[in-house]
């Protein structure tokens, strides 16, 4: 009720550009907020899709800025290692799953295949990607700007030496690390090994071993109540002080120039 029950969606504003990471059910609410902010003005955004599990794409059919304004413009980026992003988004809205077809949406759309590596977005913004340890794969993202570094690494299971190393490298020195902490450590060990997710104790290991500054616990288990998450945060703070749990509507300002001046 307090942390929120929508699935993965994080919006990042950089130099007046909108970047969106994942389009789970939270994408629906973001669409409403963008429409309120922009009114009749066109909306443009880059949308990075970490992988195609339902909880990361399910908001697309309910994202209103895709429907009515042909001047809105969205660029979808994901890996076509399993399937290309355009096909996935069209399939989830095809008969008999949804009444409106993906092709009936009016907004302009482009689709890019992301490999692991690095994309230059202009204005000194660089987005690096790395594969995470998850069934069918998942991409983690490192957004580097002059003002700071944000890492979005959800849907990642610990325990594979190579992936463990890769996620620490992706997170290295980040100002903010958003990291998968779906399970409680004991539940993970008892019966969730191989399901592709992490827990808060591993999230704390990753933030400390990568020298990232702030940890945002993310991808909460839908069975976890607010008191469970409160306890997770206080347990995690016994090991590392700068920990918060992602909350619906949470806003984080990352600005090295501001930090240096205060
Ligand atoms: Zn997943
Ligand atoms: Zn997920």
């Amino acid at each position: 009720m307090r942390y929120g029950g929508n699935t993965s969606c994080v919006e990042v504003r950089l130099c007046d550009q909108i970047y969106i990471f994942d389009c789970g059910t939270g994408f629906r609410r973001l669409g409403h907020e963008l429409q309120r902010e922009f009114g009749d003005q066109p909306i443009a955004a880059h949308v990075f899709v970490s992988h195609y599990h339902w909880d990361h794409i399910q908001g697309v059919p309910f994202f209103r800025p895709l429907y009515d304004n042909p001047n809105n413009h969205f660029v979808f980026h994901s890996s076509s290692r399993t399937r290309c992003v355009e096909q996935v988004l069209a399939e989830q809205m095809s008969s008999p799953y949804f009444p409106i077809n993906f092709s009936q949406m009016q907004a302009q759309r482009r689709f890019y295949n992301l490999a692991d590596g690095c994309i230059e977005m202009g204005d000194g913004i660089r987005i690096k990607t790395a594969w995470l340890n998850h069934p069918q794969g998942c991409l983690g993202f490192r957004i580097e700007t002059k003002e700071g570094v944000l890492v979005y690494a959800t849907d990642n299971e610990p325990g594979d030496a190579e992936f463990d190393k890769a996620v620490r490298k992706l997170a290295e020195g980040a100002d903010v690390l958003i990291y998968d902490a779906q399970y409680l450590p004991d539940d993970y060990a008892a019966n969730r090994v191989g399901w592709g997710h992490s827990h808060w104790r591993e999230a704390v290991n990753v933030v400390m071993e990568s020298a990232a500054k702030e940890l945002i616990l993310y991808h909460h288990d839908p069975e976890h109540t607010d008191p469970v998450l409160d306890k997770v945060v206080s347990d995690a703070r016994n090991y590392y002080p700068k920990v918060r749990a992602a909350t619906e509507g949470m806003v984080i300002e990352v600005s090295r120039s501001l930090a240096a001046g205060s």
Side-chain angles (χ1 to χ4, degrees):
M1 295 303 290
R2 186 155 38 79
Y3 288 99
N6 276 313
T7 70
S8 303
C9 183
V10 169
E11 180 198 26
V12 178
R13 293 285 176 104
L14 287 169
C15 305
D16 295 329
Q17 288 260 33
I18 301 174
Y19 297 81
I20 298 163
F21 293 86
D22 280 330
C23 18
T25 62
F27 197 49
R28 174 181 169 276
R29 174 174 159 186
L30 174 59
H32 295 4
E33 289 186 4
L34 290 173
Q35 283 190 323
R36 249 196 308 277
E37 176 181 346
F38 283 81
D40 295 334
Q41 297 300 308
I43 303 168
H46 289 277
V47 184
F48 291 82
V49 184
S50 65
H51 64 310
Y52 305 139
H53 290 163
W54 288 117
D55 53 317
H56 298 258
I57 60 169
Q58 221 161 15
V60 171
F62 305 97
F63 187 73
R64 287 207 303 227
L66 278 167
Y67 279 92
D68 300 327
N69 190 341
N71 295 319
N72 287 349
H73 191 274
F74 296 95
V75 184
F76 289 89
H77 304 260
S78 193
S79 167
S80 58
R81 195 162 85 165
T82 55
R83 201 165 293 186
C84 75
V85 62
E86 182 174 15
Q87 188 186 353
V88 167
L89 298 181
E91 280 172 354
Q92 81 160 339
M93 293 176 69
S94 67
S95 171
Y97 304 112
F98 204 71
I100 313 295
N101 210 276
F102 191 53
S103 62
Q104 290 171 266
M105 291 172 145
Q106 301 288 310
Q108 299 168 54
R109 283 155 288 161
R110 284 188 291 149
F111 304 90
Y112 281 100
N113 173 33
L114 268 181
D116 34 350
C118 179
I119 329 156
E120 299 287 346
M121 305 300 294
D123 295 317
I125 297 161
R126 183 182 288 158
I127 299 184
K128 291 181 176 167
T129 63
W131 284 105
L132 304 176
N133 188 25
H134 194 63
Q136 293 104 38
C138 177
L139 284 172
F141 300 97
R142 176 184 175 95
I143 305 101
E144 297 184 347
T145 77
K146 288 183 278 256
E147 295 297 325
V149 175
L150 171 82
V151 171
Y152 177 81
T154 186
D155 295 54
N156 182 49
E157 178 162 356
D160 178 295
E162 221 160 278
F163 284 111
D164 287 352
K165 201 170 145 199
V167 78
R168 283 157 176 77
K169 183 162 184 284
L170 190 74
E172 197 171 18
D175 294 277
V176 177
L177 168 63
I178 299 172
Y179 191 81
D180 181 346
Q182 173 153 351
Y183 302 133
L184 300 176
D186 289 348
D187 293 345
Y188 169 75
N191 51 18
R192 293 290 182 265
V193 173
W195 288 32
H197 292 284
S198 187
H199 49 78
W200 66 263
R201 189 65 190 85
E202 169 65 5
V204 166
N205 289 340
V206 174
V207 74
M208 293 176 74
E209 289 164 22
S210 63
K213 296 184 183 75
E214 176 162 21
L215 171 64
I216 308 295
L217 303 170
Y218 188 68
H219 207 286
H220 308 313
D221 194 293
E223 300 301 322
H224 288 173
T225 59
D226 290 333
V228 171
L229 287 174
D230 288 341
K231 169 94 165 55
V232 162
V233 171
S234 72
D235 287 349
R237 283 181 182 160
N238 290 330
Y239 294 85
Y240 190 76
K242 289 208 78 179
V243 180
R244 284 189 279 173
T247 305
E248 198 146 327
M250 173 188 250
V251 176
I252 301 171
E253 189 161 350
V254 181
S255 171
R256 285 187 173 159
S257 44
L258 269 183
S262 60

